[in-house]
Amino acid sequence: MNDFTRWIELEGAANVRDLGGLPTTDGATTRSGRILRSDNLQGLTDADIELLVGSHKIRHVVDLRSGPEVTLEGPGPLTTVPEVTIHHLTLFAEGGRHTDVDADRALPWQERGADDDLRVTGFYYGYLRDRPDSVVSALRVMAKDDGASIVHCAAGKDRTGVLCALALEVAGATREAIVADYEATGERLEQVLARLRASDTYRDDLDSRPADDHRPRAKYMLQFLGVLDDRFGGPLPWLHAHGWTETDTRALRSRLRD
């Protein structure tokens, strides 16, 4: 699994890696230095910011956290960096007091059904069902060519995992590579959960379930992609049904391939 990931070591985030270096269906590999994925960026240090903005040329942040999370946690230190644009694109339906449905408790791993496999697949598909506008907009930001982008949520696992899987599908990465990249968060899971437990926003919900319940498993991503295959003929047809264009596809592929 390490062959499919490129970790970036930061002091203030634990689950940061590059989407480059993954094999594609035509025998090539995705390009490094274009799109990064991460867990919460609230704890970035000055050295982290210099590394991300200076060395990795981050110019766009796709923040997938819900309205309540941003309200409770704050927008993060990258909001003070002039070169960086923050794009807050929640994947929850709007409605509650803090703008999201189930708003006052909207966290990415909350219980939403009895069967664990179906629950995970269900809320992954729920992001697309409830916020196709955010999904398409996030992928368009990731396709921008004026510097690198970084996409994140709280753990960098579920919401970030879905967006990165879709981006990699558009780029032509193999399913095996997409699943392996998704599973790679498991290598950093203990560090990620420790950071989230230090926050009042996440602690109680995390402590209510065993740590292993939060582990990303291949079957979750395979089932999610299978839903798109069965219902729409694949991720790209779903995107096209929600306003994605061939121009968008070329732009995102050029970021991760050319």
Side-chain angles (χ1 to χ4, degrees):
M1 206 176 300
N2 283 321
D3 292 340
F4 294 148
T5 62
R6 179 168 172 252
W7 294 105
I8 296 169
E9 303 299 337
L10 300 178
E11 299 175 63
N15 189 21
V16 187
R17 60 187 182 272
D18 197 309
L19 291 188
L22 286 84
T24 60
T25 56
D26 60 358
T29 57
T30 55
R31 286 288 301 272
S32 298
R34 303 293 181 82
I35 300 175
L36 308 184
R37 56 178 294 169
S38 179
D39 52 334
N40 205 343
L41 299 175
Q42 294 303 111
L44 294 183
T45 65
D46 289 344
D48 293 336
I49 293 172
E50 174 57 32
L51 181 64
L52 290 174
V53 179
S55 299
H56 290 282
K57 308 300 181 187
I58 293 295
R59 296 296 180 267
H60 296 278
V61 175
V62 178
D63 184 351
L64 301 176
R65 294 177 300 164
S66 68
E69 288 170 281
V70 176
T71 298
L72 294 169
E73 294 283 288
L78 285 174
T79 59
T80 66
V81 180
E83 303 97 310
V84 175
T85 301
I86 309 295
H87 307 263
H88 180 225
L89 295 164
T90 179
L91 296 186
F92 292 112
E94 295 184 356
R97 195 158 51 103
H98 291 287
T99 69
D100 286 22
V101 128
D102 301 326
D104 306 324
R105 306 195 50 217
L107 297 175
W109 42 72
Q110 280 189 314
E111 295 290 345
R112 298 193 178 202
D115 183 274
D116 199 49
D117 292 358
L118 293 177
R119 176 180 63 82
V120 173
T121 301
F123 72 69
Y124 283 8
Y125 180 69
Y127 304 151
L128 277 62
R129 181 195 62 230
D130 295 338
R131 293 309 300 261
D133 55 333
S134 289
V135 171
V136 170
S137 294
L139 290 171
R140 284 176 174 155
V141 171
M142 294 160 73
K144 290 181 179 292
D145 62 2
D146 57 338
S149 61
I150 186 167
V151 55
H152 81 96
C153 51
K157 173 173 68 78
D158 297 314
R159 293 167 288 185
T160 298
V162 166
L163 259 294
C164 289
L166 294 176
L168 290 168
E169 276 274 345
V170 173
T174 66
R175 284 283 171 94
E176 181 182 15
I178 292 169
V179 171
D181 180 67
Y182 168 75
E183 283 188 293
T185 290
E187 299 174 30
R188 300 292 178 96
L189 189 61
E190 289 185 9
Q191 299 98 304
V192 170
L193 296 181
R195 289 181 182 276
L196 293 177
R197 284 194 178 95
S199 166
D200 292 339
T201 304
Y202 304 106
R203 183 183 306 112
D204 289 345
D205 190 71
L206 286 171
D207 287 343
S208 69
R209 297 170 57 194
D212 198 57
D213 282 4
H214 303 290
R215 185 169 301 281
R217 292 175 167 83
K219 60 184 177 180
Y220 299 157
M221 181 54 64
L222 287 170
Q223 286 177 350
F224 164 68
L225 294 172
V227 168
L228 296 183
D229 291 341
D230 294 343
R231 296 185 184 181
F232 302 97
L236 263 175
W238 180 89
L239 285 167
H240 287 311
H242 292 89
W244 187 259
T245 67
E246 289 299 331
T247 299
D248 291 324
T249 293
R250 287 193 296 271
L252 186 51
R253 283 180 63 89
S254 73
R255 291 304 288 158
L256 283 170
R257 295 296 303 275
D258 302 326

